[in-house]
């Protein structure tokens, strides 16, 4: 990879977080993130070098303040909740996990370690899948219950893809996780993807995130500086849609998803350090009887 991507930034944030967070899940996630960054060529090596040195960390903190204050802590905030909600969904019977745009994240491994009999499937862009496969190999992780599938979610016909994946069983109770990915799809692509999932996996659970409108109604975080939008565009990862809290349910309903809950960014005990991205859970519609 020849430039820094959002998945690399998340991986660097995961490595950085593990320096101050003693949660074993955070440490495991950081080990995978580190191995992935090592496979990301010069941009990955530079990010790792910065995270591993005091001066580099000062520079990263300054860049965060300059671009988007609190974003590293926001990632940790949303990942804590996603781990908790996903564990709960598995406790409620999910036997299959489908992670869309998984990047270099270790949620699948976290759940596979804790839920006997669970199978996990990740759908990601080919270049990212190749790096993650190599990283898992390098870490000595041989997990036969994890499958990485290369596909572009903006064009793939998900109804055709899923039944053809070895060991994927559309009849199994399934949890779909789409963390930090749906905002990169054009609205018609989003609708096609979610409706395709609803047709293939009726009744499956969904944990996902979506952007809220920031200044001037454009998708983004509340404290995002104007140059973040330009950086995302140059990186080829612009946010393509946003929704207000009140309108999110209608957008999802049009795509055959029933919204059940939205994480409260103002939760007194643990507020979102960088608001502007909704974390929500829902269920794919069941066909009418
Ligand atoms: C911001 S990263 C989030 C990674 C991970 N879900 C996390 O939160 O740690 C966005 C990820 O979505 C993936 N992605 C974006 N558009 C995609 C598409 N059209 N098809 C497949 N993956 C996509 C990117 O490759 C990237 O890994």
């Amino acid at each position: 990879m020849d430039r820094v991507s959002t998945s690399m930034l998340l991986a660097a944030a995961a490595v950085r977080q593990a320096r101050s967070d003693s949660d074993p899940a955070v440490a495991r996630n950081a080990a995978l993130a580190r191995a992935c960054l090592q496979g990301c060529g010069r941009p990955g090596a530079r990010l790792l070098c910065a995270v591993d040195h005091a001066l580099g960390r000062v520079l990263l903190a300054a860049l965060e303040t300059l671009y988007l204050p609190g974003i590293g802590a926001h990632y940790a905030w949303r990942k804590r909740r996603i781990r908790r909600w996903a564990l709960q969904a598995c406790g409620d019977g999910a036997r299959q996990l489908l992670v869309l745009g998984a990047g270099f994240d270790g949620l699948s491994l976290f759940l596979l370690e804790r839920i006997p009999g669970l199978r996990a499937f990740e759908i990601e862009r080919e270049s990212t899948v190749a790096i993650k496969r190599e990283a898992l190999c390098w870490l000595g992780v041989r997990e036969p219950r994890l499958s990485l599938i290369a596909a572009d979610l903006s064009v793939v016909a998900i109804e055709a893809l899923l039944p053809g994946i070895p060991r994927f069983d559309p009849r199994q109770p399934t949890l779909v996780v789409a963390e930090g990915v749906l905002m990169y799809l054009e609205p018609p692509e989003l609708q096609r993807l979610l409706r395709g999932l609803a047709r293939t996996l009726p009744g499956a659970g969904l944990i996902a995130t979506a952007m809220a409108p920031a200044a001037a109604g454009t998708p983004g975080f509340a404290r995002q500086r104007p140059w973040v939008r330009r950086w995302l565009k140059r990186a080829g990862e612009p946010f393509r849609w946003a929704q207000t809290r009140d309108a999110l349910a209608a957008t999802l309903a049009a795509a055959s998803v029933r919204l059940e809950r939205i994480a409260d960014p103002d939760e007194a005990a643990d507020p979102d350090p960088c608001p502007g991205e909704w974390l929500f859970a829902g269920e794919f519609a069941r066909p009418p009887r």
Side-chain angles (χ1 to χ4, degrees):
M1 290 198 171
D2 53 359
R3 62 186 313 156
V4 172
S5 64
T6 56
S7 49
M8 283 186 223
L9 289 180
L10 271 139
V15 177
R16 201 169 140 209
Q17 189 201 348
R19 297 183 60 84
S20 56
D21 191 327
S22 58
D23 183 341
V26 171
R28 298 277 283 157
N29 197 42
L32 176 60
R34 175 179 288 280
C36 288
L37 283 173
Q38 279 161 347
C40 285
R42 199 177 292 175
R46 283 199 181 133
L47 277 172
L48 262 186
C49 180
V51 176
D52 286 340
H53 291 88
L55 201 61
R57 289 193 295 278
V58 172
L59 182 68
L60 288 177
L63 284 172
E64 184 175 310
T65 308
L66 194 68
Y67 276 75
L68 188 43
I71 186 66
H74 166 80
Y75 292 149
W77 181 90
R78 91 178 182 205
K79 285 185 186 297
R80 264 197 310 280
R81 277 163 182 72
I82 290 176
R83 283 196 293 271
R84 204 166 63 223
W85 290 8
L87 273 177
Q88 194 180 329
C90 292
D92 291 344
R95 285 291 161 268
Q96 208 165 232
L97 173 72
L98 176 63
V99 186
L100 308 178
F104 302 136
D105 185 65
L107 178 71
S108 297
L109 292 179
F110 169 82
L111 291 171
L112 287 170
E113 271 174 18
R114 284 158 184 80
I115 312 292
L118 183 75
R119 283 190 184 284
F121 302 83
E122 295 187 355
I123 302 182
E124 241 298 344
R125 289 199 169 111
E126 196 170 359
S127 52
T128 308
V129 164
I131 291 169
K132 196 170 196 176
R133 273 207 187 108
E134 209 170 295
L136 289 168
C137 216
W138 190 80
L139 289 170
V141 175
R142 281 176 205 84
E143 178 47 87
R145 292 182 293 144
L146 173 64
S147 306
L148 307 188
I149 298 110
D152 183 338
L153 294 165
S154 65
V155 293
V156 76
I158 201 85
E159 305 98 306
L161 177 75
L162 290 179
I165 297 173
R167 292 186 298 275
F168 187 89
D169 182 354
R171 290 160 307 183
Q172 286 290 320
T174 301
L175 171 67
V176 179
V177 175
E179 177 191 8
V181 61
L182 299 182
M183 59 283 277
Y184 300 112
L185 301 176
E186 294 288 356
E189 297 165 353
L190 172 80
Q191 293 283 325
R192 197 178 54 232
L193 175 69
L194 294 181
R195 285 188 195 145
L197 285 165
R199 278 194 290 273
T200 318
L201 304 168
L206 172 68
I207 297 174
T209 68
M211 295 315 297
T218 53
F221 291 91
R223 287 188 218 128
Q224 174 175 315
R225 317 277 190 209
W227 35 96
V228 171
R229 208 161 133 236
R230 291 202 285 274
W231 184 87
L232 285 168
K233 201 167 170 207
R234 273 202 310 277
E237 299 182 273
F239 297 147
R240 297 181 198 273
W241 62 279
Q243 207 45 279
T244 61
R245 188 186 179 109
D246 289 344
L248 185 60
T251 298
L252 293 171
S256 309
V257 176
R258 186 168 59 83
L259 179 63
E260 287 170 344
R261 68 195 284 200
I262 302 181
D264 180 6
D266 300 319
E267 191 183 305
D270 187 15
D272 184 346
C274 180
E277 182 185 21
W278 308 120
L279 167 60
F280 62 90
E283 191 187 69
F284 287 98
R286 294 170 195 275
R289 283 173 191 266

